[in-house]
Amino acid sequence: MRNFDTNENFINRELGWLEFNQRVFEGALDAANPLFERLNFLSITSSNLDEFFQVRVASLGDQILANLDKRDPSGLLPQESMDKILSRAHRMVEDQYRCYRYSLLKKLKKEKINLLHPKSLTKEHKKYLRDYFLRRVFPVLTPLVVDQGRPFPLLRNRGLYIALLIKGAETNLFATVQVPKVLSRLIEIPSVSNERQFLLLEDLITLKLPELFQGHKILSSGFFRITRNADLDIDEEGAEDLLETIEQSIRQRKWGSVIRLEIGKGFHQNLLSILKEELDLDNDKIFEIDGPVDLTFISGIIKLQGYDHLRYEPFKPQGVPAVMMEEDIFKAIQDKDILLHHPFQSFDPVVELVKTAAQDPQVLAIKQTLYRVSGNSPIIAALAQAAGQGKQVTVLVELKARFDEENNIHWAKHLEEAGCHVIYGLVGLKTHCKVLLIVRQEEDGIKRYVHMSTGNYNDVTAKIYTDIGLMTANPQFGADASALFNMLSGLSQPNNLNKFTLAPIGLRGKFLQLIEDEARNAQKGLKAKIAVKVNSLIDKEIILALYKASSFGVEIELIVRGVCCLRPGLPGVSENISVRSIVGRFLEHSRIFYFYHGGDELIYLSSADWMPRNLDRRVELLFPVEDPDSKEEVKAILDINLKDTVKARILTSKGSYKKVDKRRKKIVKSQEVLCERAVAQFTKAKHLLQERLDGSFQPITNELE
C-alpha cells in the first residue's frame, strides 16, 4: 500500500487561507460586479485579514515563542510558515491598495462620489470643517504625550492612531491621538453641485493637530494601526463562573501582544523606531500602506442611499412551498419533512415555528442551541415569551463563539432574566450544532418536532449565508434530539442514537467509515462516488482516507469554499479528486455529504467542517436526509454547484486556483440558478394554493418536485 502521508501531499493551512482571501479579493477586481459590491468585497478582504492575524498568525507566533519545532503536514516549521505567510500577506495588501487607488476610487469619482485629499480642500470646505471639528470632533479627542511623567500609552487592538513627534526643550517627544471609533470616519461636506464629497476623519484631525498641541512645534506625524493577539485562552476547568471568565478574557483581548503594525506611506523613521521598540516588532510585521490605513471604512460608502444601481439587484428570499400549503406549521411538518434552503428560501418559517411554539398552549417545552444570533433576534424574543407563559425553555448559549462572546453574554443574561434555563456549554468543548426541539401535547400523546441546520439561528445572516435546514416530526429524530439535550444539560451519554451522529463522540469514525465503504466498493469494481460541500478541509486523517479512496478509483468531487489542505490531481494519490471553491454574492456555508453507497445513495447535512476542531473539540451534528423529495433537492443543489463555470475556481495540484475552462460548457452562475429555482418553486406553489382557494384545486402528487 502506498504511503500517502508525505509532506508534498499537503497544502499549508495558513497559505491555503490566504488563497481563499485572494478569491474574496477577486470579487473586488471583477468589473462584472456592481461598484458597491466590489467595494464590499474589498472591505471583507481587509476585515478577513484582520481576523487572520488576530487568530492564526497570533497562534503561530505563540508556537515560535514557545520554541516548538513540530512540522505541519506540509513539512513547514512554525517560523518557516510565518515567513511565507508574511511574504504572501504583504503582496496581498499591496494588491488591495492598488485596486483601491487605480480602479475603485476612479469609479467612485465617475459616480460623483469623491474622497477628498486634504490638499484639495477649498476655503468653503475648510470653513465647514472648522465648525464640524469644534462641534463634533474636538470634545472627543484625547492627545497623549510620552515623557518622564507619562508612560507610553496602551494602544487598543485595531484602533487607528496618529503618531506625532513634537519638538521639546531638550529632547523630542512622542505623542499619539486616537481617531475616535464613536465617530464616523466619513465626513460628508455639503456641496452645491450634485456631487457628494467626503473627507476622512483622520485627515481632518491631522489638519487640526496644531490646535491640539498649541505652543509646540510638530516635527512629523503619521497614521498607524496595530493588530493584537485576540485568540482567547480560557481555563474552563478552573473557572467557577464561565460567564465571568469570558467577560474578563474579552477585556484582555484589547491588550494582547502586538502581531502587526500598519503605517501610512511616508511614516517618519524616527516615529517608526519608537513604535518598533515599544511594541517589540520585527520589520516583516510592519505593513506600509499606500492609502487610508484600515479599508473597513468603505462600509460607510456602501451604505449610502440613492445608489441602488451600484448594488446587486435585490433578491427576496422566497416562500417555502410545503409551509405555504398548510396554515398550521405543525401540521405541515407532520405531513412531510420540510427542507429549507437559505437565503434562496426564507428563514421566516424557522422564526415562525419558534413564535408559534411560544404561543401554543399545547407546547410543553422548547429546547434550542444558539451559537450566533442577530442583534435584535426574534427567536430570542419568542423564547423569552415562551418562558413567561410557563413553558419549559432550555437554551444552550455558546459563550465561546469567537468574536460573538459579548453578544452571547448579553442574550444569555436576558434569557435567564426571562425565566429560561440557560446552559453555557460544555467544559472543553464548543457547542456548534444547530438544533431546535419542540415538545407538544397532542390528542394521541406527546409529539416532538425538530429543526436541524447547517447554519446559525440568525435571521440576518440567513439572508446572505447559504445554509440548509430540515424540519421533521419523525419520532426517531425527536428521540435523538432529546438525548442530545439531555447530554448538554446533564451527564447523560447519548448511546444508541437512531439518526444523529455527534462529535466528538462518533462523527470522525462515521465519516471514515463512509469513505472506506466507497473505497471497498471501488475495489470490487462497483461504482463508487463521494461528493462533499464544506467550508474547510484541513483534517489530516480525513484527507488520507480520501487519498486512499481515490487510489482505488472512487470518484470524489469536493466543493471547499475556504481552506483546503488536500492536493488534488496527484498521480496515484488524488487523480480522481477534484476541488472547487465558489465565492459569490452569498457566503457559501452549507455542509453537504453525498455517498453513492452501492446505489443506495446516502445524503447527510452537518454543522461540521472537515477540521480537527469540528471532529474532536466541538459538539457537532451530522443528520441524514431521508425523505425522497428532500434527497432529490439536495442532490440538485450539489449538482448546480458542481456545474458553476463563472464564480467557481478550481484548485490545482500546486495549491493555486484557476478559473473554469468554459470551452464547450454552458455558462452557469450557481447562486443565480438557485435564486431562479427558488422563485420558480414559489410561483408554482402560489398558483396551486390559489387554485385550492378558488375551489378548483385537485390533489396532485409530487407537484412541487
Side-chain angles (χ1 to χ4, degrees):
M1 177 67 67
R2 178 168 180 175
N3 178 26
F4 301 115
D5 189 3
T6 59
N7 298 147
E8 59 267 22
N9 288 351
F10 294 89
I11 297 169
N12 175 269
R13 173 178 177 169
E14 280 70 33
L15 293 175
W17 185 93
L18 286 167
E19 290 309 309
F20 156 66
N21 208 37
Q22 177 65 30
R23 297 194 295 282
V24 177
F25 175 52
E26 285 179 11
L29 296 171
D30 190 351
N33 286 332
L35 177 57
F36 275 19
E37 305 300 342
R38 294 178 65 185
L39 287 165
N40 191 40
F41 277 114
L42 186 63
S43 178
I44 293 170
T45 306
S46 184
S47 60
N48 280 352
L49 208 54
D50 284 350
E51 185 171 333
F52 176 68
F53 269 88
Q54 289 179 101
V55 179
R56 295 305 310 167
V57 178
S59 174
L60 203 57
D62 289 341
Q63 293 177 41
I64 293 168
L65 286 173
N67 293 317
L68 293 182
D69 58 357
K70 184 180 178 181
R71 296 184 182 274
D72 74 351
S74 71
L76 295 178
L77 291 168
Q79 186 60 59
E80 292 171 337
S81 292
M82 182 69 82
D83 293 342
K84 289 179 179 291
I85 289 164
L86 292 174
S87 175
R88 180 68 183 90
H90 275 283
R91 294 201 311 275
M92 180 175 289
V93 170
E94 288 168 6
D95 290 343
Q96 282 180 278
Y97 278 89
R98 195 175 294 114
C99 171
Y100 171 79
R101 292 194 312 272
Y102 297 121
S103 180
L104 300 181
L105 272 184
K106 291 180 179 179
K107 295 284 185 185
L108 283 170
K109 198 166 187 178
K110 284 185 179 179
E111 297 293 337
K112 299 187 179 347
I113 300 172
N114 292 320
L115 289 172
L116 300 175
H117 190 280
K119 291 181 180 179
S120 67
L121 295 174
T122 65
K123 287 183 179 179
E124 288 74 18
H125 291 155
K126 291 178 180 177
K127 182 179 179 182
Y128 173 80
L129 290 168
R130 187 183 306 117
D131 180 61
Y132 183 92
F133 177 78
L134 290 173
R135 285 188 302 105
R136 302 285 300 277
V137 183
F138 181 76
V140 185
L141 299 179
T142 306
L144 298 172
V145 176
V146 178
D147 58 20
Q148 289 182 336
R150 290 167 284 203
F152 193 87
L154 281 170
L155 304 173
R156 279 181 170 267
N157 182 29
R158 294 185 299 152
L160 180 59
Y161 290 86
I162 302 170
L164 304 93
L165 200 61
I166 298 172
K167 187 172 180 60
E170 298 179 1
T171 181
N172 296 333
L173 301 174
F174 177 84
T176 62
V177 179
Q178 183 176 4
V179 179
K181 283 192 172 184
V182 292
L183 301 177
S184 170
R185 279 181 69 191
L186 279 174
I187 302 170
E188 183 162 11
I189 303 173
S191 173
V192 293
S193 67
N194 62 348
E195 292 190 359
R196 299 188 72 170
Q197 302 179 99
F198 298 89
L199 183 73
L200 288 176
L201 175 60
E202 57 264 33
D203 287 331
L204 174 59
I205 297 172
T206 301
L207 288 172
K208 300 297 181 181
L209 286 176
E211 297 179 26
L212 287 173
F213 296 90
Q214 289 185 21
H216 298 278
K217 184 178 180 181
I218 298 172
L219 300 175
S220 63
S221 66
F223 304 120
F224 75 95
R225 178 177 182 253
I226 62 168
T227 310
R228 293 184 180 274
N229 184 337
D231 198 17
L232 296 182
D233 185 14
I234 300 168
D235 178 15
E236 293 180 60
E237 294 284 358
E240 292 185 14
D241 188 333
L242 184 59
L243 188 145
E244 183 180 340
T245 301
I246 291 176
E247 285 180 320
Q248 291 173 354
S249 296
I250 294 166
R251 289 192 287 271
Q252 291 168 6
R253 178 180 278 163
K254 299 172 184 176
W255 318 117
S257 59
V258 178
I259 44 153
R260 179 179 61 164
L261 170 65
E262 298 166 276
I263 57 173
K265 190 173 178 62
F267 201 80
H268 198 280
Q269 191 60 44
N270 289 350
L271 288 173
L272 182 57
S273 297
I274 294 169
L275 287 177
K276 282 175 63 177
E277 182 179 351
E278 292 290 343
L279 303 175
D280 190 24
L281 277 178
D282 298 325
N283 286 329
D284 56 1
K285 292 179 182 174
I286 299 170
F287 288 71
E288 187 176 44
I289 305 299
D290 191 1
V293 175
D294 182 13
L295 285 173
T296 55
F297 80 90
I298 288 172
S299 60
I301 298 175
I302 300 166
K303 293 173 185 174
L304 293 176
Q305 298 300 307
Y307 295 94
D308 287 347
H309 63 291
L310 301 181
R311 299 183 175 92
Y312 288 129
E313 187 176 334
F315 175 76
K316 181 181 179 182
Q318 301 295 292
V320 180
V323 177
M324 295 166 56
M325 304 302 284
E326 180 61 61
E327 287 186 19
D328 183 346
I329 193 165
F330 290 117
K331 177 68 166 57
I333 300 170
Q334 281 180 40
D335 290 344
K336 191 176 187 180
D337 288 358
I338 299 174
L339 193 80
L340 306 98
H341 191 200
H342 317 299
F344 313 101
Q345 292 179 320
S346 174
F347 189 72
D348 289 349
V350 181
V351 176
E352 195 58 38
L353 178 60
V354 184
K355 283 184 175 180
T356 302
Q359 298 167 2
D360 188 339
Q362 291 179 255
V363 169
L364 306 175
I366 304 173
K367 302 184 180 186
Q368 189 166 14
T369 61
L370 296 177
Y371 192 75
R372 299 188 197 276
V373 293
S374 62
N376 189 24
S377 172
I379 286 179
I380 294 279
L383 292 171
Q385 181 187 23
Q389 295 190 6
K391 301 184 191 304
Q392 182 75 28
V393 180
T394 304
V395 188
L396 187 144
V397 181
E398 181 48 74
L399 298 183
K400 301 185 291 291
R402 183 178 283 144
F403 300 120
D404 262 12
E405 298 96 344
E406 287 183 276
N407 192 42
N408 286 4
I409 287 170
H410 165 75
W411 287 127
K413 290 178 177 178
H414 175 76
L415 287 168
E416 281 186 329
E417 290 167 1
C420 300
H421 178 60
V422 179
I423 309 164
Y424 295 149
L426 301 179
V427 173
L429 298 172
K430 280 187 182 179
T431 302
H432 191 247
C433 58
K434 331 301 183 178
V435 188
L436 164 66
L437 170 65
I438 296 168
V439 181
R440 193 168 186 256
Q441 177 68 58
E442 299 184 1
E443 289 184 6
D444 54 350
I446 296 287
K447 190 175 285 278
R448 288 177 281 208
Y449 297 84
V450 183
H451 172 265
M452 306 149 288
S453 180
T454 66
N456 297 305
Y457 289 105
N458 188 316
D459 54 298
V460 175
T461 58
K463 295 174 183 174
I464 52 176
Y465 287 18
T466 74
D467 275 303
I468 304 177
L470 184 72
M471 293 176 172
T472 183
N474 184 316
Q476 291 185 313
F477 280 89
D480 286 358
S482 289
L484 169 61
F485 279 104
N486 288 341
M487 179 192 81
L488 295 174
S489 63
L491 298 174
S492 159
Q493 290 297 315
N495 299 319
N496 303 316
L497 294 173
N498 302 293
K499 303 295 182 181
F500 286 8
T501 307
L502 302 175
I505 301 168
L507 188 54
R508 176 183 290 279
K510 177 75 170 183
F511 280 135
L512 292 172
Q513 186 60 57
L514 289 166
I515 296 168
E516 176 63 28
D517 289 346
E518 295 301 314
R520 191 175 294 112
N521 284 338
Q523 281 182 288
K524 295 176 183 177
L526 302 175
K527 178 180 176 180
K529 181 176 180 180
I530 297 171
V532 169
K533 181 176 182 291
V534 288
N535 299 326
S536 299
L537 171 52
I538 292 170
D539 190 80
K540 184 176 181 179
E541 193 174 9
I542 294 289
I543 292 172
L544 290 173
L546 292 171
Y547 284 158
K548 180 182 175 183
S550 169
S551 71
F552 287 138
V554 179
E555 179 189 354
I556 303 172
E557 294 180 305
L558 305 175
I559 305 166
V560 185
R561 184 200 77 214
V563 183
C564 181
C565 294
L566 176 150
R567 288 190 190 273
L570 296 174
V573 179
S574 56
E575 56 194 344
N576 292 312
I577 303 177
S578 66
V579 181
R580 63 181 53 224
S581 170
I582 298 172
V583 177
R585 172 179 184 172
F586 305 119
L587 180 79
E588 294 292 342
H589 193 253
S590 55
R591 291 92 164 186
I592 306 171
F593 303 89
Y594 167 94
F595 301 91
Y596 185 70
H597 200 64
D600 182 22
E601 298 170 304
L602 301 177
I603 293 177
Y604 298 90
L605 301 174
S606 182
S607 57
D609 287 308
W610 272 348
M611 301 174 68
R613 72 182 189 191
N614 298 101
L615 302 176
D616 303 326
R617 300 190 298 277
R618 291 186 173 188
V619 178
E620 303 277 11
L621 170 63
L622 176 79
F623 58 94
V625 179
E626 298 180 331
D627 171 72
D629 293 339
S630 297
K631 285 180 74 170
E632 289 303 312
E633 185 65 22
V634 176
K635 283 168 61 179
I637 292 167
L638 265 178
D639 186 56
I640 291 166
N641 277 271
L642 289 167
K643 288 180 177 176
D644 193 303
T645 57
V646 179
K647 297 298 183 181
R649 297 292 182 268
I650 308 301
L651 177 61
T652 70
S653 59
K654 294 180 180 179
S656 59
Y657 287 78
K658 65 179 183 180
K659 293 183 178 180
V660 176
D661 184 353
K662 297 186 184 69
R663 288 176 295 182
R664 298 183 298 278
K665 288 190 179 111
K666 183 180 177 182
I667 299 299
V668 177
K669 297 180 182 178
S670 58
Q671 293 185 354
E672 287 189 11
V673 172
L674 290 166
C675 286
E676 293 164 2
R677 181 181 176 85
V679 170
Q681 290 171 334
F682 170 73
T683 303
K684 193 171 187 178
K686 191 167 63 171
H687 289 157
L688 284 171
L689 186 59
Q690 189 60 51
E691 288 178 7
R692 177 187 289 180
L693 294 173
D694 292 343
S696 58
F697 174 81
Q698 296 294 323
I700 303 174
T701 58
N702 297 324
E703 189 62 38
L704 298 175
E705 286 187 347

